[in-house]
Amino acid sequence: MDDGRFEGRAVIAGGAAASPEPHILLIDDVPEDIRATIILLRQQSWRISLASDAHQGYQRALALRPDLIVLDVHMPHMNGFSLCRLLREAPATRQTPILFLSSANSSIERLEGLTVGGVDYIPKSCAPEEVLARIKIHLQLTWRAPPIAQASSAEPEPEGDEIVLRAVMRLIEEQLDDIPSLAELAQKVGTHEKRLSRIFREHLGLTVFAYIRDARLRRGQDLLAESAMSVQDVAELVGFRNACNFTTAFRQRIGMTPSQFRQQTLGIADTESAGRP
């Protein structure tokens, strides 16, 4: 769904429209639910674009590069949390403020919305005037009028699979101690198990589970080298059931036990310290 207000405007390098007004993108599969808010927003001196599902919203966000995104949570095929994860990995939208506007208003849902990258979480029961006020606050904090000419970004725009890969890698790193199932991982980045497995094979040459195992062991190395935590504590923090499983996997990958690795690392550090004037 689209109100057509962005059509016919000049497009500058990188896909953003050359306009002195902020551009707001609203993504909601039932726009009738926020009709009063849309009417109020259109009364401002802003450009307003609409998307009627998460996939359309994702494509329009990358193409139009709006200054602020208002995003619903419960949508078919891909929910707002999954979409937010993808937008946070794409260079074109990485810094764009995302405000959740949703009837999904439990404390768990609000926390997840802020955790995945939303800057605000607004219940649909809020008066349109409050939604407008919150949008104005975030625009005041972030929006700057674009220059007449704008150079294209030096960072190449990643392909769709690369953004999914970045999003799930970040998710894995953040939840090493309790990683969701493959199906849940795929759902959280808006895809399915088969595609996610293919992406890992093609881009990393690994299965998802092999990547998770490597990520846990890499983090385990860091914790052993940088902290005085016990091997058992390190094992639990990186998601191994017990220290024995961690030690076995660590030895297979590194060629020594966690205790030997720590001793060797500390020995190298002590030698370097002793050699300093």
Side-chain angles (χ1 to χ4, degrees), residues 54-67:
H55 288 287
Q56 185 185 64
Y58 177 64
Q59 296 300 329
R60 292 195 174 182
L62 296 184
L64 301 174
R65 301 194 178 191
D67 299 294

PDB file of all heavy atoms in Angstrom, residues 54-67:
ATOM      1  N   ALA A  54       5.826  -6.649   5.958  1.00  0.00           N
ATOM      2  CA  ALA A  54       7.229  -6.500   6.330  1.00  0.00           C
ATOM      3  C   ALA A  54       8.166  -6.572   5.132  1.00  0.00           C
ATOM      4  O   ALA A  54       9.131  -5.815   5.042  1.00  0.00           O
ATOM      5  CB  ALA A  54       7.601  -7.571   7.357  1.00  0.00           C
ATOM      6  N   HIS A  55       7.894  -7.472   4.194  1.00  0.00           N
ATOM      7  CA  HIS A  55       8.775  -7.603   3.033  1.00  0.00           C
ATOM      8  C   HIS A  55       8.729  -6.345   2.170  1.00  0.00           C
ATOM      9  O   HIS A  55       9.767  -5.855   1.713  1.00  0.00           O
ATOM     10  CB  HIS A  55       8.391  -8.840   2.209  1.00  0.00           C
ATOM     11  CG  HIS A  55       8.742 -10.133   2.870  1.00  0.00           C
ATOM     12  ND1 HIS A  55      10.036 -10.592   2.976  1.00  0.00           N
ATOM     13  CD2 HIS A  55       7.964 -11.077   3.490  1.00  0.00           C
ATOM     14  CE1 HIS A  55      10.047 -11.746   3.607  1.00  0.00           C
ATOM     15  NE2 HIS A  55       8.808 -12.058   3.941  1.00  0.00           N
ATOM     16  N   GLN A  56       7.542  -5.812   1.943  1.00  0.00           N
ATOM     17  CA  GLN A  56       7.427  -4.564   1.188  1.00  0.00           C
ATOM     18  C   GLN A  56       8.104  -3.422   1.948  1.00  0.00           C
ATOM     19  O   GLN A  56       8.797  -2.590   1.362  1.00  0.00           O
ATOM     20  CB  GLN A  56       5.955  -4.231   0.946  1.00  0.00           C
ATOM     21  CG  GLN A  56       5.745  -3.009   0.055  1.00  0.00           C
ATOM     22  CD  GLN A  56       4.278  -2.650  -0.068  1.00  0.00           C
ATOM     23  OE1 GLN A  56       3.628  -2.286   0.912  1.00  0.00           O
ATOM     24  NE2 GLN A  56       3.739  -2.762  -1.281  1.00  0.00           N
ATOM     25  N   GLY A  57       7.912  -3.404   3.271  1.00  0.00           N
ATOM     26  CA  GLY A  57       8.548  -2.379   4.078  1.00  0.00           C
ATOM     27  C   GLY A  57      10.063  -2.445   4.006  1.00  0.00           C
ATOM     28  O   GLY A  57      10.741  -1.415   3.947  1.00  0.00           O
ATOM     29  N   TYR A  58      10.596  -3.640   4.012  1.00  0.00           N
ATOM     30  CA  TYR A  58      12.047  -3.816   3.926  1.00  0.00           C
ATOM     31  C   TYR A  58      12.585  -3.264   2.607  1.00  0.00           C
ATOM     32  O   TYR A  58      13.558  -2.497   2.594  1.00  0.00           O
ATOM     33  CB  TYR A  58      12.357  -5.307   4.052  1.00  0.00           C
ATOM     34  CG  TYR A  58      13.812  -5.670   3.900  1.00  0.00           C
ATOM     35  CD1 TYR A  58      14.760  -5.219   4.806  1.00  0.00           C
ATOM     36  CD2 TYR A  58      14.235  -6.489   2.861  1.00  0.00           C
ATOM     37  CE1 TYR A  58      16.098  -5.565   4.671  1.00  0.00           C
ATOM     38  CE2 TYR A  58      15.569  -6.850   2.718  1.00  0.00           C
ATOM     39  CZ  TYR A  58      16.493  -6.379   3.633  1.00  0.00           C
ATOM     40  OH  TYR A  58      17.811  -6.724   3.488  1.00  0.00           O
ATOM     41  N   GLN A  59      11.939  -3.626   1.500  1.00  0.00           N
ATOM     42  CA  GLN A  59      12.395  -3.151   0.200  1.00  0.00           C
ATOM     43  C   GLN A  59      12.270  -1.634   0.082  1.00  0.00           C
ATOM     44  O   GLN A  59      13.163  -0.955  -0.449  1.00  0.00           O
ATOM     45  CB  GLN A  59      11.597  -3.846  -0.923  1.00  0.00           C
ATOM     46  CG  GLN A  59      11.803  -5.348  -0.994  1.00  0.00           C
ATOM     47  CD  GLN A  59      13.248  -5.738  -1.242  1.00  0.00           C
ATOM     48  OE1 GLN A  59      13.984  -5.019  -1.903  1.00  0.00           O
ATOM     49  NE2 GLN A  59      13.665  -6.880  -0.702  1.00  0.00           N
ATOM     50  N   ARG A  60      11.189  -1.077   0.590  1.00  0.00           N
ATOM     51  CA  ARG A  60      11.003   0.375   0.500  1.00  0.00           C
ATOM     52  C   ARG A  60      11.969   1.123   1.421  1.00  0.00           C
ATOM     53  O   ARG A  60      12.445   2.209   1.090  1.00  0.00           O
ATOM     54  CB  ARG A  60       9.556   0.737   0.812  1.00  0.00           C
ATOM     55  CG  ARG A  60       8.621   0.238  -0.274  1.00  0.00           C
ATOM     56  CD  ARG A  60       7.243   0.844  -0.222  1.00  0.00           C
ATOM     57  NE  ARG A  60       6.480   0.415  -1.391  1.00  0.00           N
ATOM     58  CZ  ARG A  60       5.263   0.794  -1.673  1.00  0.00           C
ATOM     59  NH1 ARG A  60       4.635   1.637  -0.857  1.00  0.00           N
ATOM     60  NH2 ARG A  60       4.648   0.374  -2.752  1.00  0.00           N
ATOM     61  N   ALA A  61      12.254   0.537   2.570  1.00  0.00           N
ATOM     62  CA  ALA A  61      13.218   1.177   3.468  1.00  0.00           C
ATOM     63  C   ALA A  61      14.593   1.271   2.814  1.00  0.00           C
ATOM     64  O   ALA A  61      15.268   2.308   2.893  1.00  0.00           O
ATOM     65  CB  ALA A  61      13.299   0.404   4.784  1.00  0.00           C
ATOM     66  N   LEU A  62      15.029   0.207   2.139  1.00  0.00           N
ATOM     67  CA  LEU A  62      16.329   0.222   1.479  1.00  0.00           C
ATOM     68  C   LEU A  62      16.341   1.173   0.289  1.00  0.00           C
ATOM     69  O   LEU A  62      17.349   1.853   0.031  1.00  0.00           O
ATOM     70  CB  LEU A  62      16.706  -1.194   1.017  1.00  0.00           C
ATOM     71  CG  LEU A  62      16.913  -2.251   2.099  1.00  0.00           C
ATOM     72  CD1 LEU A  62      17.378  -3.553   1.470  1.00  0.00           C
ATOM     73  CD2 LEU A  62      17.905  -1.787   3.155  1.00  0.00           C
ATOM     74  N   ALA A  63      15.243   1.225  -0.453  1.00  0.00           N
ATOM     75  CA  ALA A  63      15.198   2.056  -1.655  1.00  0.00           C
ATOM     76  C   ALA A  63      15.000   3.540  -1.335  1.00  0.00           C
ATOM     77  O   ALA A  63      15.638   4.403  -1.947  1.00  0.00           O
ATOM     78  CB  ALA A  63      14.080   1.574  -2.575  1.00  0.00           C
ATOM     79  N   LEU A  64      14.123   3.840  -0.373  1.00  0.00           N
ATOM     80  CA  LEU A  64      13.760   5.230  -0.090  1.00  0.00           C
ATOM     81  C   LEU A  64      14.616   5.865   0.991  1.00  0.00           C
ATOM     82  O   LEU A  64      14.696   7.083   1.082  1.00  0.00           O
ATOM     83  CB  LEU A  64      12.284   5.303   0.325  1.00  0.00           C
ATOM     84  CG  LEU A  64      11.275   4.784  -0.703  1.00  0.00           C
ATOM     85  CD1 LEU A  64       9.883   4.782  -0.112  1.00  0.00           C
ATOM     86  CD2 LEU A  64      11.323   5.638  -1.964  1.00  0.00           C
ATOM     87  N   ARG A  65      15.235   5.059   1.820  1.00  0.00           N
ATOM     88  CA  ARG A  65      16.070   5.537   2.915  1.00  0.00           C
ATOM     89  C   ARG A  65      15.362   6.624   3.727  1.00  0.00           C
ATOM     90  O   ARG A  65      15.795   7.775   3.789  1.00  0.00           O
ATOM     91  CB  ARG A  65      17.404   6.055   2.381  1.00  0.00           C
ATOM     92  CG  ARG A  65      18.162   4.987   1.617  1.00  0.00           C
ATOM     93  CD  ARG A  65      19.596   5.346   1.364  1.00  0.00           C
ATOM     94  NE  ARG A  65      20.269   4.264   0.662  1.00  0.00           N
ATOM     95  CZ  ARG A  65      21.577   4.195   0.478  1.00  0.00           C
ATOM     96  NH1 ARG A  65      22.372   5.127   0.953  1.00  0.00           N
ATOM     97  NH2 ARG A  65      22.110   3.183  -0.171  1.00  0.00           N
ATOM     98  N   PRO A  66      14.266   6.272   4.369  1.00  0.00           N
ATOM     99  CA  PRO A  66      13.511   7.269   5.126  1.00  0.00           C
ATOM    100  C   PRO A  66      14.310   7.774   6.330  1.00  0.00           C
ATOM    101  O   PRO A  66      15.297   7.156   6.746  1.00  0.00           O
ATOM    102  CB  PRO A  66      12.267   6.496   5.571  1.00  0.00           C
ATOM    103  CG  PRO A  66      12.718   5.078   5.636  1.00  0.00           C
ATOM    104  CD  PRO A  66      13.693   4.921   4.504  1.00  0.00           C
ATOM    105  N   ASP A  67      13.864   8.883   6.875  1.00  0.00           N
ATOM    106  CA  ASP A  67      14.536   9.462   8.034  1.00  0.00           C
ATOM    107  C   ASP A  67      14.059   8.837   9.340  1.00  0.00           C
ATOM    108  O   ASP A  67      14.732   8.957  10.369  1.00  0.00           O
ATOM    109  CB  ASP A  67      14.298  10.969   8.065  1.00  0.00           C
ATOM    110  CG  ASP A  67      14.846  11.647   6.822  1.00  0.00           C
ATOM    111  OD1 ASP A  67      16.074  11.643   6.647  1.00  0.00           O
ATOM    112  OD2 ASP A  67      14.043  12.149   6.012  1.00  0.00           O
TER     113      ASP A  67
END
